[in-house]
Amino acid sequence: MPPAFEPHAIEKHWYSTWNAAGYFQPSPRENSASGKPFVITIPPPNVTGVLHLGHALQHSIHDCLLRYHRMKGETTLCVPGTDHASIATEVKVLDLLQAMQGKSRRDLSREEFLQHAWEWKNKYGGTIIGQLKALGCSYDWTRERFTMDKGYSRAVLTVFKEWYDKGLIYRGYRLVNWSPGAQSTVSDLEIEFREVQGKLWHLKYPVVGTDEFITVATTRPETMLGDTAVAVHPDDERYKHLHGKNVLLPLMNREIPIITDAYVDASFGSGAVKITPAHDPNDYEMGQRHGLEMITVIGFDARMSEAAGEYSGQTREEARKAIVRDLQAQGLVEKIDDYTHSVGHCSRTGTIIEPLLSEQWFVRMKELARPVADAIKMNRVHYRPERFANTSLDWMENIRDWCISRQLWWGHRIPVYYGPDGEMKVSVEPITEEGWHQDEDVLDTWFSSALWPFAVLGWPDKMETEYYPTSVLITGRDILNLWVSRMILTSLYFVDDEIPFHDVLVHPTVQDVFGLRMSKSLGTGIDPMGLIEVYGADATRFGLLQLVTGAQDVRFTDEAERALGEDTVRRYLREKKPLPLEWNGKPAERYPQMQNARNFANKIWNAARFVLTNAENIGAVEPFNIETAELDMAGTWILERLSVTISTVTTALNDYQFDTAASTLYSFIWNDFCDWFVEVSKPRLRAADHAQIALLTHVLEVTMRLLHPFMPFISEEIWQRLPKSAAADSLCIAQWPAPAHAYGLMTDASAEAFAAQQRLFGTLDEADSRLGFTLVQETVSRVRNLRAEAKLPPSQKLKVTLVALSNEAAEVLREGVPYLLQLGNLEAVDVVTADAPRPQNAVSTALPEVEVFLPLEGLIDVERETARLQKELESLNKDLAIVEKKLSNPQFVDKAPPAVVEKEQAKRTELQSSIDKLSIRLREMA
RNA sequence: GGGCGAGUAGCUUAGUGGCUAAAGCACCUGCCUUACAAGCAGGCUACCGGGGGUUCGAGUCCCUCCUUGCCCACCA
């Protein structure tokens, strides 16, 4: 074994071995307690995508859970796949064609484009899948799906037809969100509102038949060409005399009415609003209420339409300038204020959304959404953390119809066919008859992803119902409504009122070191493949899982970014310029959180190397057997620690507390096993102690099983080198440990075995655990501390006197003498009872159970020792004061639970005892 | 505008009303002690964002303010 852990070869080897052995496919298992399969479908990443840090975090969670449940003996399945991502892919492929062949959408037919798109998909669509494999994901790749594969498409078209037949899908001429960049509609959820520094123009419209003007305020003067009314609040006294009158729309010289509507806020601006029903959602609704004419003055190309008269053909921006200029020339601009407001942008292309009237397909959402709300309220779907249930409930309360048609080519083409005589048919099978043609539009990507959990299991044909509903959906909170709510909706409707998953686990969003959103193009995005390259897949997974707390956001530290400083980074992001990141340090030091995880992997590797090397040297190792083993205090202690670790990690995983699980493993392996148990084992191993190497091997073996879901590669590599006690060819399918396994009771945590464990360790569990190896550990620490404070070289052998303050403590310390000698680097330990005289010329300290004296050769530095004792005393007195304050409060003694009061009293006794001892020492010093 | 989070050591974070607020990184001191210098031993560092309240007892619960992140929303 090499002295440093080298992850890459191991990762490659084990991944292909596991995959070939079929461990990632579901198989009937015998040991599951519940008998239920554990099923996940991954959120299908965009086929255009490459893995980003959010994915890496999400899939670390996925795979950790999968491997955990697989080891628990459950039939385990994870269906992977990719999403065709209609707009994103189309934009990407078009960009590519432009760059490589100089062709734009206009130069291509639908068929030509689709051919390019499929070629592109087949060539590059597997990138992200390969990256998931590099991370170690144990998904069933034989079931990999694509949202546009044949069966999936059938599911999509079937849903469309079914809803159409039930009247839940309809075609309508409505105001929709038009993205000029994508040349398509987008849904409400795909609009990103951004704060924009704009202006508020106050325009004066002359009232017909008077010499008055009415002033309207607007952020978009160019839309005034399409105004068909001016609205005021019915109770607004300022305008009552104008009710029923008309204004003459400037520039267009069109008479439009002054109407009244309670929607108008009399306190905003002038209290009068220009109404452009064809280009504003509110105005549209008002236009419908009042039967106003709707005049489209901006076209699909985001230029002024013919209805815009002399401005026709100008862009929105040009027209705005020209119109303001022309109005100003006529003295019709009252004033222009600076105004910050939010403007909807297309989340895909970044262009400003133009509300436009057009013929589109819609899903009637209201009645479909109601059962979803019910299911959530009745706790049939469980959100973790729970508060996220509200995100869905709020959305459904004010739900609006869903525009599902997109003017794109890449996607599921709407299965509506138009006949020669104006007939219309909806059909899952293509209609090829002469004279019929299909609707040109495709469906919103999210329409198809909404069917994911059941479509991938075979619906609408033969569905594998034994895997449904799935166990847990793991997602970021940004797509809770876009995707999660809609999956619940379709499942309740199409799969027999069944929910798609029991739990929705919302994981934190990864931010950069300053708490800012990560953006790959600007340089704050971190490439997980780079992390795997530098730190290894195990460390990357572990480091990320340590970040998975219940919080909303977690920060990913990048020292290169930190070096720039927060102000600089913010400025660059605001200006949308790539960060001038450079890193001259060691590659591993750039991301400290990952470096820590990598160091941990190396620590594990070396602990294993130590155990395995010794096992080899010592020769044939008998398996550890609790019945015949003669455990001393350290052996008992490590098994107890292991047992507690098993329970804690198991509970944490059941509760999705990945940070707790990871740090529990970390501290058990590093602090308990390596720092103490491996250390105390060394002298015994030098003496070729078979029992000790058996115990070490045993603890390591169980620990590797616990570690596997977090760090699958290194745990497998080590486990395979260990003498196998569990009947499995791979850790993937080895049994997940129960507390009884810590004690070598490998027959499963049956009642009998567990009872045996309780018999053997009952005394320990109930007794004050300090009176065991823990006391030895604390005593060692005090000795080391005294040695360092006295500036004695670590190599110098010392004598120590321990004054045990009870018989029990004396007994424990006497048993622990060999450990004290070794770990404290001592040549002699003298354990005496409380009535013995204290050594002279020594530095000392006091624990509740024992006084520690370190006699010094020659004279001690009285001044230094006095200062040290005073400091120690001060800290103890401070603690005592707190306890005293509590206990002297009659209210506390009266009202607090007796157990709490007793605890405080015991604490007071202990503190007082230590203080007395130190005070005596201090007086002797003087 | 509404809602949901976060603010704990220089940094990243644990902390479930009750042991003396925990860990890693960074920093300081000393060690290559034959598993690991990606290491070992020891140490320093916290008015737990400010203020008020509830309670015998608050980092933890309530109110309020400040800072900050996210989601939702049709105020021109």
Side-chain angles (χ1 to χ4, degrees), chain A residues 256-284:
Chain A
I256 57 175
I258 295 172
I259 59 171
T260 61
D261 196 292
Y263 161 80
V264 179
D265 178 1
S267 65
F268 186 90
S270 61
V273 197
K274 60 189 267 316
I275 303 299
T276 323
H279 295 287
D280 180 282
N282 306 312
D283 293 5
Y284 174 77

Side-chain angles (χ1 to χ4, degrees), chain A residues 411-430:
Chain A
H412 300 102
R413 194 162 169 181
I414 291 179
V416 174
Y417 298 83
Y418 305 96
D421 306 317
E423 313 111 290
M424 190 173 91
K425 273 191 203 166
V426 177
S427 168
V428 174
E429 301 304 327

